[in-house]
Amino acid sequence: MANRPAILAEGLHKHYGKTHALAGLDLVAEQGSVLALLGPNGAGKTTAVRILTTLLRPDSGRAEVAGLDVVKNADALRAHIGLAGQYAAVDENLTGYENLVMFGQLYHLSGSVARQRADQLLADFDLVDAGARTVKTYSGGMRRRLDLAASLIIAPPVLFLDEPTTGLDPRGRLAMWEVIRTLTASGTTALLTTQYLEEADQLADQIAVVDHGHVIANGTADELKAQVGDERIELTLAQGGDLAAAAQALRPYSSGELQVDAERRQLVVPVRHGAHQLVAIVRDLDAAQIPLDDLALRQPTLDDVFLTLTGREASETELPAEIADSQPLVRSTR
């Protein structure tokens, strides 16, 4: 049991009429790690979370969480997992404290234990001062923290976070990242779905890129970036600069095809060991009397990975294609 993955999915399929929401999805998350599912809307991320949290049965394939089969051992498994969805699943007419006590009782904790856990979680999530206020007075970030606190009422070994920072401002997103880091540092395994590429880069030990219902690439952030290729030197020529001459001067340094954007007067040059090339490149451009407005060396990013693998940027993703992914998750209370 100690060496078994905390999350294991093999060949998961799910259909909705003609829509193939999952098409043979395989996932592995080791104990105490963070696995990020990265992909566009409609890729199958939420459908996968629904199956792994026993809210939906797969049409075929199998999955285990915390060593328990998500279909055969669904009732027992619910006591070992926490779930925080895209939308805060809390009652806005109750106080923060009352919400947490209610969730504790729904998980069959005794009244005294539920109250103790509520007090502890309000402190952990910096909500003590707001604990006696009704949730409808909370900001979006406070609601999201309360929802995450509710998912931890039973201190689960495995936590599912379905786009937990959606709608948060940058400050709220950074605060939520710190909460997630603290949880995983204590040994919790987390599966995180996100469309924020920086979020996956910051939090995940492993990333699975999902599109059209299956995993199209997986690895660490660095491993995925390495698949994209070399570093890039990006140049913007000053007004009147000769793009053709610049391209000719830079071609000996390029490890691949140069990209030229005449409208923006920009050149992108794939290079190896770019830091060692910069001085020579600047010297050659100066000798050719090609003035620059900007020059930068850039490492591949997860944006580049996403664009390379899916053929589109994350900001260009379409609306959800699956019926399952168009609905907010609802936390099980059995």
Side-chain angles (χ1 to χ4, degrees):
M1 180 74 177
N3 294 324
R4 298 180 72 169
I7 300 171
L8 175 66
E10 296 177 328
L12 292 181
H13 286 259
K14 186 64 184 179
H15 296 82
Y16 295 95
K18 295 182 179 180
T19 300
H20 208 156
L22 293 183
L25 186 82
D26 297 317
L27 295 172
V28 178
E30 301 299 334
Q31 295 181 27
S33 68
V34 178
L35 171 64
L37 300 191
L38 181 65
N41 283 328
K45 305 187 302 294
T46 295
T47 299
V49 171
R50 285 173 176 268
I51 290 173
L52 294 170
T53 55
T54 77
L55 298 177
L56 192 66
R57 292 172 68 101
D59 294 329
S60 62
R62 61 181 294 273
E64 290 184 356
V65 176
L68 298 170
D69 188 281
V70 300
V71 175
K72 298 176 183 176
N73 310 118
D75 289 340
L77 175 57
R78 292 180 188 125
H80 293 79
I81 59 175
L83 169 62
Q86 299 175 29
Y87 307 93
V90 290
D91 189 331
E92 67 174 15
N93 293 312
L94 297 179
T95 67
Y97 175 80
E98 289 168 342
N99 266 283
L100 294 178
V101 171
M102 176 187 70
F103 278 110
Q105 293 171 338
L106 289 172
Y107 277 106
H108 308 297
L109 300 180
S110 68
S112 60
V113 173
R115 291 189 293 273
Q116 182 181 5
R117 286 292 296 157
D119 286 333
Q120 181 61 54
L121 288 166
L122 288 173
D124 290 345
F125 286 85
D126 194 24
L127 291 170
V128 172
D129 292 340
R133 287 165 41 196
T134 57
V135 172
K136 61 187 174 184
T137 68
Y138 284 20
S139 67
M142 292 169 67
R143 287 184 184 222
R144 195 59 52 81
R145 295 206 308 273
L146 182 64
D147 189 52
L148 185 52
S151 71
L152 297 170
I153 198 73
I154 56 169
V158 182
L159 181 62
F160 292 88
L161 304 167
D162 190 45
E163 301 195 13
T165 63
T166 296
L168 295 184
D169 60 24
R171 182 176 179 181
R173 186 170 295 130
L174 289 173
M176 185 63 74
W177 289 357
E178 281 306 307
V179 169
I180 295 169
R181 287 190 184 101
T182 299
L183 291 171
T184 55
S186 67
T188 299
T189 302
L191 184 147
L192 168 76
T193 77
T194 184
Q195 292 182 68
Y196 297 118
L197 306 180
E198 184 186 6
E199 188 160 89
D201 209 350
Q202 288 284 330
L203 297 176
D205 298 299
Q206 291 284 317
I207 298 171
V209 182
V210 181
D211 201 15
H212 301 297
H214 64 279
V215 175
I216 59 175
N218 61 73
T220 65
D222 287 343
E223 287 169 347
L224 290 176
K225 292 172 189 176
Q227 293 183 25
V228 175
D230 302 321
E231 300 169 310
R232 291 157 171 77
I233 291 179
E234 299 180 350
L235 307 95
T236 301
L237 272 62
Q239 194 69 39
D242 188 335
L243 270 174
Q248 183 177 354
L250 292 170
R251 193 161 282 113
Y253 299 99
S254 178
S255 60
E257 184 177 354
L258 278 71
Q259 300 174 36
V260 180
D261 186 332
E263 184 177 348
R264 297 180 180 179
R265 308 188 312 278
Q266 291 181 342
L267 278 167
V268 178
V269 187
V271 294
R272 296 188 179 94
H273 310 297
H276 297 101
Q277 307 270 32
L278 281 175
V279 173
I281 286 173
V282 171
R283 181 194 62 216
D284 287 358
L285 291 172
D286 186 56
Q289 297 183 336
I290 299 171
L292 298 178
D293 276 346
D294 190 49
L295 172 67
L297 175 65
R298 189 166 71 86
Q299 301 288 335
T301 67
L302 285 181
D303 294 83
D304 299 318
V305 173
F306 198 93
L307 177 60
T308 299
L309 294 174
T310 68
R312 57 194 181 278
E313 296 181 0
S315 60
E316 297 174 348
T317 57
E318 300 174 354
L319 292 175
E322 304 118 5
I323 296 173
D325 277 10
S326 67
Q327 304 292 330
L329 284 164
V330 177
R331 182 184 287 108
S332 171
T333 58
R334 289 203 298 167

